[in-house]
Short mmCIF file of all heavy atoms in Angstrom, two decimals:
data_model
loop_
_atom_site.label_atom_id
_atom_site.label_comp_id
_atom_site.label_asym_id
_atom_site.label_seq_id
_atom_site.Cartn_x
_atom_site.Cartn_y
_atom_site.Cartn_z
N CYS A 23 6.83 17.94 8.65
CA CYS A 23 7.28 17.48 9.96
C CYS A 23 6.44 18.17 11.04
O CYS A 23 6.19 19.37 10.96
CB CYS A 23 8.75 17.83 10.12
SG CYS A 23 9.46 17.32 11.68
N PRO A 24 6.00 17.41 12.05
CA PRO A 24 5.19 17.99 13.12
C PRO A 24 6.01 18.88 14.09
O PRO A 24 5.46 19.52 14.94
CB PRO A 24 4.63 16.78 13.85
CG PRO A 24 5.62 15.69 13.57
CD PRO A 24 6.17 15.96 12.19
N ASP A 25 7.32 18.86 13.92
CA ASP A 25 8.14 19.73 14.79
C ASP A 25 7.95 21.18 14.36
O ASP A 25 7.35 21.46 13.33
CB ASP A 25 9.59 19.32 14.70
CG ASP A 25 10.38 19.70 15.97
OD1 ASP A 25 9.83 20.46 16.78
OD2 ASP A 25 11.53 19.25 16.12
N CYS A 45 15.23 17.90 10.38
CA CYS A 45 15.74 17.31 11.62
C CYS A 45 16.15 15.86 11.46
O CYS A 45 16.79 15.29 12.33
CB CYS A 45 14.70 17.45 12.76
SG CYS A 45 13.18 16.54 12.49
N ARG A 47 14.32 13.22 11.47
CA ARG A 47 13.47 12.24 12.09
C ARG A 47 12.82 11.33 11.03
O ARG A 47 12.51 11.81 9.93
CB ARG A 47 12.36 12.90 12.91
CG ARG A 47 12.80 13.44 14.26
CD ARG A 47 11.58 13.86 15.03
NE ARG A 47 11.91 14.39 16.37
CZ ARG A 47 12.23 15.66 16.59
NH1 ARG A 47 12.24 16.51 15.61
NH2 ARG A 47 12.50 16.08 17.81
N VAL A 48 12.57 10.10 11.39
CA VAL A 48 11.97 9.14 10.49
C VAL A 48 10.59 8.75 11.01
O VAL A 48 10.44 8.32 12.16
CB VAL A 48 12.84 7.86 10.33
CG1 VAL A 48 12.17 6.86 9.43
CG2 VAL A 48 14.21 8.26 9.80
N TYR A 49 9.59 8.96 10.13
CA TYR A 49 8.21 8.64 10.49
C TYR A 49 7.73 7.43 9.73
O TYR A 49 7.90 7.33 8.51
CB TYR A 49 7.29 9.83 10.18
CG TYR A 49 7.69 11.08 10.92
CD1 TYR A 49 8.53 12.02 10.32
CD2 TYR A 49 7.28 11.30 12.22
CE1 TYR A 49 8.95 13.16 11.01
CE2 TYR A 49 7.66 12.43 12.92
CZ TYR A 49 8.51 13.35 12.29
OH TYR A 49 8.91 14.48 12.96
N GLU A 50 7.15 6.48 10.42
CA GLU A 50 6.65 5.27 9.78
C GLU A 50 5.33 5.56 9.06
O GLU A 50 4.59 6.44 9.43
CB GLU A 50 6.41 4.17 10.81
CG GLU A 50 7.70 3.61 11.41
CD GLU A 50 7.39 2.47 12.35
OE1 GLU A 50 6.37 1.80 12.19
OE2 GLU A 50 8.21 2.25 13.25
N ARG A 52 2.08 3.48 8.37
CA ARG A 52 1.37 2.27 8.78
C ARG A 52 0.06 2.14 8.03
O ARG A 52 -0.80 3.03 8.13
CB ARG A 52 1.11 2.29 10.29
CG ARG A 52 2.40 2.27 11.10
CD ARG A 52 2.12 2.39 12.59
NE ARG A 52 3.37 2.61 13.34
CZ ARG A 52 3.40 3.10 14.57
NH1 ARG A 52 2.30 3.42 15.19
NH2 ARG A 52 4.55 3.27 15.18
N VAL A 57 2.48 8.24 10.16
CA VAL A 57 2.35 8.54 11.60
C VAL A 57 3.23 9.71 11.94
O VAL A 57 4.39 9.57 12.22
CB VAL A 57 2.73 7.30 12.46
CG1 VAL A 57 2.52 7.60 13.94
CG2 VAL A 57 1.92 6.08 12.04
N LEU A 58 2.65 10.91 11.85
CA LEU A 58 3.45 12.14 12.04
C LEU A 58 3.31 12.61 13.48
O LEU A 58 2.69 13.64 13.79
CB LEU A 58 2.99 13.19 11.07
CG LEU A 58 3.22 12.84 9.58
CD1 LEU A 58 2.75 13.97 8.70
CD2 LEU A 58 4.68 12.51 9.33
N LEU A 59 3.92 11.82 14.37
CA LEU A 59 3.92 12.17 15.78
C LEU A 59 5.35 12.19 16.29
O LEU A 59 6.10 11.24 16.04
CB LEU A 59 3.11 11.12 16.58
CG LEU A 59 1.64 10.98 16.20
CD1 LEU A 59 1.04 9.78 16.91
CD2 LEU A 59 0.87 12.25 16.54
N LEU A 60 5.72 13.23 17.00
CA LEU A 60 7.09 13.33 17.51
C LEU A 60 7.40 12.16 18.43
O LEU A 60 8.50 11.64 18.44
CB LEU A 60 7.28 14.65 18.24
CG LEU A 60 7.29 15.91 17.35
CD1 LEU A 60 7.43 17.14 18.21
CD2 LEU A 60 8.40 15.85 16.33
N ASP A 61 6.41 11.73 19.19
CA ASP A 61 6.62 10.61 20.12
C ASP A 61 6.88 9.31 19.39
O ASP A 61 7.50 8.38 19.93
CB ASP A 61 5.43 10.46 21.04
CG ASP A 61 5.38 11.53 22.12
OD1 ASP A 61 6.40 12.22 22.28
OD2 ASP A 61 4.36 11.67 22.77
N GLU A 62 6.35 9.20 18.18
CA GLU A 62 6.47 7.95 17.41
C GLU A 62 7.67 7.98 16.47
O GLU A 62 8.02 6.96 15.87
CB GLU A 62 5.19 7.73 16.60
CG GLU A 62 3.94 7.58 17.44
CD GLU A 62 3.85 6.21 18.08
OE1 GLU A 62 4.35 5.24 17.50
OE2 GLU A 62 3.32 6.13 19.19
N ALA A 63 8.26 9.13 16.28
CA ALA A 63 9.33 9.26 15.29
C ALA A 63 10.61 8.62 15.80
O ALA A 63 10.87 8.54 17.00
CB ALA A 63 9.59 10.73 15.00
N ARG A 64 11.41 8.16 14.84
CA ARG A 64 12.74 7.65 15.16
C ARG A 64 13.76 8.76 14.93
O ARG A 64 13.80 9.35 13.86
CB ARG A 64 13.09 6.47 14.26
CG ARG A 64 12.57 5.15 14.76
CD ARG A 64 12.93 4.04 13.81
NE ARG A 64 11.86 3.82 12.83
CZ ARG A 64 12.06 3.29 11.63
NH1 ARG A 64 13.25 2.97 11.23
NH2 ARG A 64 11.03 3.11 10.82
N SER A 65 14.55 9.06 15.93
CA SER A 65 15.57 10.09 15.78
C SER A 65 16.76 9.54 15.01
O SER A 65 17.07 8.36 15.13
CB SER A 65 16.04 10.56 17.17
OG SER A 65 14.97 11.11 17.87
N ALA A 69 18.34 5.88 19.47
CA ALA A 69 17.34 4.86 19.81
C ALA A 69 15.95 5.36 19.40
O ALA A 69 15.76 6.51 19.07
CB ALA A 69 17.38 4.56 21.30
N ASP A 70 15.00 4.43 19.46
CA ASP A 70 13.62 4.83 19.16
C ASP A 70 13.09 5.78 20.18
O ASP A 70 13.53 5.78 21.34
CB ASP A 70 12.73 3.58 19.15
CG ASP A 70 13.00 2.73 17.92
OD1 ASP A 70 13.76 3.17 17.03
OD2 ASP A 70 12.46 1.63 17.87
N GLY A 71 12.15 6.61 19.73
CA GLY A 71 11.48 7.47 20.70
C GLY A 71 12.03 8.89 20.73
O GLY A 71 12.94 9.26 19.99
N ASP A 72 11.46 9.66 21.55
CA ASP A 72 11.79 11.06 21.67
C ASP A 72 13.04 11.22 22.55
O ASP A 72 13.08 10.73 23.67
CB ASP A 72 10.60 11.82 22.29
CG ASP A 72 10.82 13.32 22.22
OD1 ASP A 72 11.84 13.79 21.72
OD2 ASP A 72 9.93 14.03 22.70
N GLN A 73 14.03 11.92 22.03
CA GLN A 73 15.28 12.06 22.77
C GLN A 73 15.44 13.43 23.37
O GLN A 73 16.48 13.75 23.95
CB GLN A 73 16.47 11.78 21.87
CG GLN A 73 16.52 10.34 21.38
CD GLN A 73 17.83 10.03 20.71
OE1 GLN A 73 18.32 10.84 19.95
NE2 GLN A 73 18.38 8.88 20.95
N ARG A 74 14.44 14.27 23.28
CA ARG A 74 14.60 15.60 23.82
C ARG A 74 14.34 15.67 25.31
O ARG A 74 13.55 14.93 25.83
CB ARG A 74 13.68 16.57 23.08
CG ARG A 74 14.18 16.81 21.68
CD ARG A 74 13.53 18.03 21.08
NE ARG A 74 12.06 17.84 21.00
CZ ARG A 74 11.23 18.81 20.62
NH1 ARG A 74 11.66 19.96 20.31
NH2 ARG A 74 9.94 18.57 20.56
#
Side-chain angles (χ1 to χ4, degrees):
C23 181
D25 206 348
C45 65
R47 283 189 180 86
V48 177
Y49 301 94
E50 290 184 27
R52 295 176 190 161
V57 183
L58 297 180
L59 299 172
L60 290 177
D61 285 347
E62 299 284 328
R64 274 179 268 155
S65 298
D70 288 351
D72 190 0
Q73 295 190 318
R74 289 195 299 174

